[in-house]
Structures are given as C-alpha cells and as structure tokens.
C-alpha cells in the first residue's frame, strides 16, 4: 500500500530540491540535522535532536531537481519535484504499508503533511515552523 501526500509550493524545483540536500536548510522544515550525503548508494542518518532520535536511511535514487528516493526500515520513500505553471508540486510517496495498520498510516500521513507544510512556510516566507508541534 502507498501513502501519497502532495503540496503546491511557490518556488522552483531546483530551489526546493536543494533545500533537502543542505542540512542547514533542511533543519528549517524537516529533520534537525543529518550525517552523510544524499548520493545514490549512500547510507545516511537523519537526526531529530528534539526527540533524541536518529533514523538510518539508504539513498536508492537521485535525479537532480526531480527526485530523491530512499529506504527507511522496510519502506521506500520517494520525494518528487514537478514544475507546473511556475510552481512546484512536491509529492512524498511512502510504500509498503500493511493496510490493516491504520494507526501507522495515519501517523505517517500526519508527518508528511506537517513536513510539507513546514517546507512551504520556509520556501515561501522564510519562516521555520518545524518542531512546533507539542
């Protein structure tokens, strides 16, 4: 089962894609830091300092300004950047859910909506609202 979340953001695919590759930018909308480099075949650690948590991922595919794909646990995550009418549609797709695991599905959907909302605030208004949920 796939979980798909999309958001329209006023910014170029290049601008938005590059924000994911730079830890100082990503810390304004998603993880507080990361170790490693978004490069195919690399293993990385995504860090949530606020929760004292680290998530190990393996980067499986990169297409500059178009796509970032990685594995975390047994799930594939694809983040796409598509230019439509001078705006970018950012799509997060997380695959391999167990359909009966409703709580996990809802939690992940909430997480993707929140990350994309934080990304929109950061790109469009230069405001960081990440880690504001209690």
């Amino acid at each position: 089962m796939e979980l798909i979340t999309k958001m329209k953001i006023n910014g170029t695919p290049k601008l938005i894609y590059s924000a994911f590759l730079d830890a100082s930018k990503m810390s304004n909308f998603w993880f507080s830091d990361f170790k490693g480099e978004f490069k195919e075949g690399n293993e990385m650690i995504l860090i949530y300092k606020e929760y004292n948590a680290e998530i190990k991922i393996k980067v499986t595919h990169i297409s500059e300004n178009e796509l970032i794909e990685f594995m975390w646990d047994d799930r594939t995550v694809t983040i796409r950047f598509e230019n439509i009418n001078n705006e970018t549609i950012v799509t997060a797709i997380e695959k391999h859910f167990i359909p009966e695991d409703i709580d996990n599905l809802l939690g992940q959907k909430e997480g993707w909506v929140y990350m994309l909302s934080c990304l929109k605030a950061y790109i469009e208004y230069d405001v960081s609202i990440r880690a504001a949920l209690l």
Side-chain angles (χ1 to χ4, degrees), residues 68-80:
I68 298 170
E69 187 173 270
F70 56 89
M71 296 289 298
W72 63 8
D73 294 328
D74 57 349
R75 295 196 192 115
T76 301
V77 174
T78 305
I79 302 173
R80 296 177 191 238

Side-chain angles (χ1 to χ4, degrees), residues 5 7 28-30 48 51 107-121 128-134:
T5 310
M7 183 152 307
N28 288 291
F29 64 89
W30 198 11
Y48 267 131
Y51 308 113
Q108 288 302 102
K109 182 68 170 187
E110 178 182 313
W112 289 116
V113 168
Y114 186 62
M115 184 277 285
L116 291 174
S117 298
C118 291
L119 176 62
K120 184 175 182 75
S128 178
I129 60 172
R130 188 190 75 75
L133 286 179
L134 300 176

Side-chain angles (χ1 to χ4, degrees), residues 44-96:
M44 300 179 61
I45 297 176
L46 304 175
I47 302 165
Y48 267 131
K49 290 179 184 172
E50 300 82 6
Y51 308 113
N52 196 29
E54 296 185 350
I55 299 167
K56 188 175 178 181
I57 67 167
K58 179 167 178 130
V59 181
T60 55
H61 187 69
I62 294 283
S63 181
E64 188 174 357
N65 303 325
E66 294 178 4
L67 179 138
I68 298 170
E69 187 173 270
F70 56 89
M71 296 289 298
W72 63 8
D73 294 328
D74 57 349
R75 295 196 192 115
T76 301
V77 174
T78 305
I79 302 173
R80 296 177 191 238
F81 311 91
E82 183 181 5
N83 187 349
I84 297 179
N85 298 325
N86 296 319
E87 295 180 308
T88 300
I89 304 298
V90 180
T91 303
I93 304 166
E94 190 169 356
K95 298 178 185 177
H96 309 302

